[in-house]
Amino acid sequence: MFKDYNTNQLILPLDLEVKLQKNDIAFSIHQLVESIPHIAFDSFFRQTGCPAYHPRMMLKIILCGYTQSVFSGRKIEDLVKDSIRMMWLAQGYEPSYRTINRFRVHPEMKELIRQCFIQFRCQLVQEKVIDQEAIFIDGTKIEANANKFTFVWKKSVEKYHTSLVEKSNQLYNELLEKQIIPEMTRENDEQLSLEELAQLAEKIEEVVEDYTEKMEKSSDANERKQWRKERKTPKQLLKQVKEWIVRKHKYQKDFEIFGTRNSYSKTDQDATFMRMKDDYMKNGQLKPGYNLQVASEGQYTLAYGIFSNPTDTKTLTPFLDQIQEQYFSLPEYIVADAGYGSEQNYEDILTKRQRTPLITYGHYMKEQKKKYKTDPFKTNNWLYDQISDTYTCPNQQAVTYKYTSTRTDSTGFKRTFKIYECEDCASCPFRMSCTKGKEGTNRLLRINEKWEQQKEHIRAKLSEEKAGSIYRQRKVDVEPIFGFLKANLGFTRFSVRGKSKVENDIGLALMAVNLRKYAVRM
């Protein structure tokens, strides 16, 4: 006996919501998008033309597609026709892949994604899933949708630009000496600008035209041959100067694209070449990518940022600014690993933001080991006399203060060092173990008092029971997000180009990770 099955009989369609399970992820997506204020969708409204699909519906089906590890517009279009949850979210509409792709890279989409994160965090706070006591920050690098061999390096451009400047200056001086061209009014004595190179080309072209005119007027074959011979050199110079104009224009454009970066990709100019952990080529080759920074709590992403700088140290301050301006007020504790530990970051969090940084520094773990604490050659273990401002080295020699030095990094941040010098290292039996300096020189000790005070503050904070337990939670809070994103969701490479589009792409993917985790606990 079988259950009734007849494809020729008409069956009335029921509401698709009935067919979904109570904890289906579609309900979580629906609830989240419906909580976004109406004003966030006003920018999508148009008075003229064919009525557009509602942005709430479009956002729901894209989010649903991302939760199912579907990032292609064509495949999302197919899901709308095949998947029950997608049919319910779309309510019978079937937008094309072009409409889907245009919507998710729309400039106003960034505000919708931001509202998603704000509303999702409010939902977590109401349900007491997070306590808002600390945020955990970490970063990962994701490969850009760009060719691996379209790199442009800043050092190479600077090298070729310097060579061009030297050659153009040399040519200009030679033409002046030979009185081939008159002297020009220059804005900068060091190099010729694009306008000045264009003027130089005009002057040389006048010389070429003058020779050409003389050739045309002359009826003597030998004389024309002589004029043609003399015209050859300025004609070659004219061709060279025009080539320089094209190259200089290209170099200036390259410098604008570089900004503070050292490289960029020709196929995605916002991408920077970085060293990836997922090195599938197994050769350590740099690949174009973006630095993704995430702030989390309870293994949920609460805020994110995309940066072109490959180092985490310089991204912390702008990322915290972005969190405060766009997402929420910072909690008491800012937790991150040693990659973010620097004097500038500590000063920013302690002084400017009045928060507590639970961020270790480079040698924090080594300093906790017994071997480090008992090593007589570590300067942290040297005796210090505060009255005389001197250190005592392992050979019982006095290391006295000499002068103060100030260093300024690429961002303009200044660090102050006190320089100490040992009395005599010439006959020291411990010289080989104590210093790598040249023979005949004494050991120099550079002490950054502000940095040492900050490190002492961090050590004291992390030794507290509460702060220590919060810091130990970091590994199990923020790092699993990257595992879910790359391993479970399968998001290992961007599918769009340009920083603004990449921000939308990764924002949808991170929210999809949040929704999958949230739906499981329902």
Side-chain angles (χ1 to χ4, degrees):
M1 186 174 181
F2 298 101
K3 292 183 179 180
D4 183 50
Y5 175 72
N6 187 353
T7 57
N8 297 320
Q9 183 177 354
L10 177 65
I11 299 177
L12 295 176
L14 297 174
D15 187 355
L16 294 175
E17 184 179 357
V18 178
K19 291 183 173 291
L20 298 176
Q21 297 181 4
K22 292 183 179 180
N23 62 343
D24 194 277
I25 196 170
F27 296 121
S28 300
I29 296 170
H30 172 73
Q31 181 182 357
L32 174 65
V33 177
E34 289 296 328
S35 66
I36 298 176
H38 294 285
I39 193 172
F41 299 93
D42 289 347
S43 58
F44 291 89
F45 184 74
R46 298 290 181 269
Q47 293 284 356
T48 59
C50 178
Y53 293 113
H54 200 289
R56 287 191 193 272
M57 182 273 289
M58 295 296 297
L59 181 58
K60 288 177 186 178
I61 64 172
I62 292 174
L63 273 175
C64 189
Y66 273 68
T67 60
Q68 307 306 308
S69 302
V70 176
F71 314 116
S72 164
R74 290 179 184 271
K75 292 183 178 179
I76 293 176
E77 179 187 5
D78 292 338
L79 279 181
V80 172
K81 300 174 182 178
D82 298 338
S83 170
I84 294 177
R85 63 169 62 96
M86 291 285 268
M87 290 179 185
W88 177 69
L89 290 173
Q91 287 296 297
Y93 291 111
E94 296 181 357
S96 69
Y97 71 92
R98 291 189 182 89
T99 305
I100 293 170
N101 289 338
R102 280 198 299 266
F103 182 81
R104 64 174 170 176
V105 298
H106 195 281
E108 301 297 335
M109 186 67 172
K110 185 176 181 180
E111 175 61 20
L112 289 187
I113 296 172
R114 187 181 75 88
Q115 288 292 337
C116 281
F117 280 94
I118 292 174
Q119 298 301 325
F120 186 77
R121 180 177 177 273
C122 292
Q123 192 172 326
L124 295 178
V125 172
Q126 291 175 358
E127 297 177 8
K128 298 183 179 180
V129 178
I130 59 176
D131 53 17
Q132 307 180 78
E133 190 175 27
I135 57 169
F136 303 87
I137 295 176
D138 203 356
T140 188
K141 298 176 183 65
I142 300 181
E143 192 174 345
N145 183 16
N147 193 296
K148 305 174 187 63
F149 305 105
T150 56
F151 41 76
V152 180
W153 305 107
K154 191 173 186 178
K155 287 186 177 180
S156 297
V157 175
E158 288 174 345
K159 173 185 173 183
Y160 292 123
H161 182 256
T162 303
S163 175
L164 186 150
V165 169
E166 292 175 355
K167 290 178 180 178
S168 60
N169 287 341
Q170 183 181 355
L171 175 62
Y172 175 73
N173 294 330
E174 288 178 0
L175 294 176
L176 279 182
E177 289 176 3
K178 296 177 181 179
Q179 296 182 348
I180 297 176
I181 62 170
E183 186 175 0
M184 297 187 302
T185 304
R186 298 177 60 179
E187 298 177 0
N188 188 352
D189 294 334
E190 295 181 0
Q191 60 175 302
L192 293 168
S193 66
L194 272 173
E195 293 76 11
E196 290 166 349
L197 279 174
Q199 291 177 19
L200 181 61
E202 289 177 4
K203 301 293 184 183
I204 298 174
E205 192 170 7
E206 289 176 3
V207 175
V208 173
E209 289 176 353
D210 186 47
Y211 280 118
T212 304
E213 187 177 347
K214 288 178 180 179
M215 286 171 53
E216 291 175 350
K217 289 181 179 180
S218 176
S219 59
D220 187 357
N222 291 330
E223 192 178 29
R224 287 200 303 272
K225 185 176 181 181
Q226 182 63 29
W227 290 128
R228 186 179 291 107
K229 184 178 180 181
E230 292 182 11
R231 187 185 67 169
K232 183 178 180 181
T233 300
K235 198 172 182 180
Q236 290 175 342
L237 292 177
L238 177 61
K239 182 180 178 181
Q240 190 175 38
V241 172
K242 287 183 177 179
E243 182 187 345
W244 286 347
I245 293 173
V246 175
R247 284 173 55 192
K248 191 173 183 67
H249 180 75
K250 178 183 178 299
Y251 295 153
Q252 287 185 356
K253 186 178 180 182
D254 286 340
F255 287 128
E256 291 176 3
I257 296 172
F258 281 128
T260 58
R261 299 180 293 162
N262 294 321
S263 64
Y264 76 85
S265 170
K266 293 177 184 176
T267 47
D268 185 357
Q269 296 180 353
D270 292 334
T272 308
F273 279 79
M274 310 176 181
R275 197 172 302 280
M276 304 287 178
K277 288 184 179 179
D278 304 326
D279 186 13
Y280 50 82
M281 298 181 74
K282 307 299 181 184
N283 59 358
Q285 179 184 336
L286 301 180
K287 299 177 184 65
Y290 291 91
N291 188 354
L292 169 64
Q293 297 292 309
V294 163
S296 73
E297 187 179 357
Q299 294 187 356
Y300 292 102
T301 301
L302 306 181
Y304 73 98
I306 287 290
F307 298 90
S308 299
N309 194 330
T311 56
D312 290 337
T313 309
K314 296 180 181 179
T315 62
L316 182 61
T317 300
F319 184 43
L320 292 178
D321 290 337
Q322 185 176 335
I323 293 174
Q324 284 186 302
E325 293 170 5
Q326 300 181 12
Y327 293 97
F328 53 86
S329 298
L330 295 175
E332 175 60 26
Y333 296 102
I334 311 295
V335 189
D337 61 18
Y340 298 85
S342 70
E343 180 183 345
Q344 185 176 3
N345 289 340
Y346 288 147
E347 182 179 358
D348 176 75
I349 296 174
L350 289 168
T351 307
K352 178 183 173 182
R353 307 182 195 277
Q354 301 293 321
R355 298 295 190 272
T356 303
L358 298 184
I359 305 173
T360 56
Y361 46 89
H363 294 283
Y364 175 79
M365 298 306 296
K366 286 186 177 180
E367 291 177 1
Q368 310 307 310
K369 296 181 180 180
K370 183 179 179 182
K371 182 180 179 181
Y372 184 95
K373 293 179 179 179
T374 57
D375 189 345
F377 300 107
K378 299 296 183 184
T379 55
N380 288 350
N381 299 328
W382 289 8
L383 294 175
Y384 175 68
D385 186 356
Q386 192 171 2
I387 298 175
S388 61
D389 194 14
T390 59
Y391 287 86
T392 304
C393 76
N395 196 31
Q396 302 306 310
Q397 296 286 327
V399 184
T400 57
Y401 167 75
K402 294 297 180 182
Y403 59 93
T404 300
S405 173
T406 302
R407 292 184 179 180
T408 305
D409 61 16
S410 58
T411 61
F413 184 76
K414 294 183 178 181
R415 294 180 295 165
T416 304
F417 295 87
K418 294 180 70 175
I419 310 301
Y420 297 79
E421 185 177 356
C422 188
E423 290 180 341
D424 184 20
C425 294
S427 58
C428 179
F430 307 119
R431 180 180 176 83
M432 296 299 292
S433 301
C434 185
T435 179
K436 295 181 181 179
K438 296 180 180 179
E439 290 290 339
T441 59
N442 294 328
R443 170 74 186 271
L444 293 178
L445 188 61
R446 292 179 175 84
I447 301 296
N448 185 341
E449 291 185 334
K450 190 173 185 180
W451 174 238
E452 296 299 327
Q453 291 171 3
Q454 289 174 343
K455 291 197 294 184
E456 181 60 34
H457 177 78
I458 294 299
R459 286 194 291 266
K461 274 293 176 186
L462 292 177
S463 63
E464 297 176 3
E465 183 178 354
K466 180 180 180 180
S469 63
I470 292 176
Y471 179 77
R472 287 190 294 272
Q473 189 182 344
R474 182 193 66 82
K475 288 184 178 181
V476 298
D477 196 292
V478 64
E479 292 186 3
I481 291 175
F482 301 132
F484 296 152
L485 178 68
K486 295 181 179 181
N488 294 357
L489 203 66
F491 193 97
T492 57
R493 191 172 187 264
F494 290 110
S495 57
V496 292
R497 297 176 179 177
K499 188 177 179 181
S500 61
K501 296 178 182 179
V502 161
E503 286 178 341
N504 291 352
D505 199 27
I506 193 62
L508 292 167
L510 289 171
M511 183 50 64
V513 172
N514 284 346
L515 290 167
R516 284 181 62 162
K517 183 176 176 58
Y518 181 80
V520 169
R521 62 179 293 274
M522 291 292 289

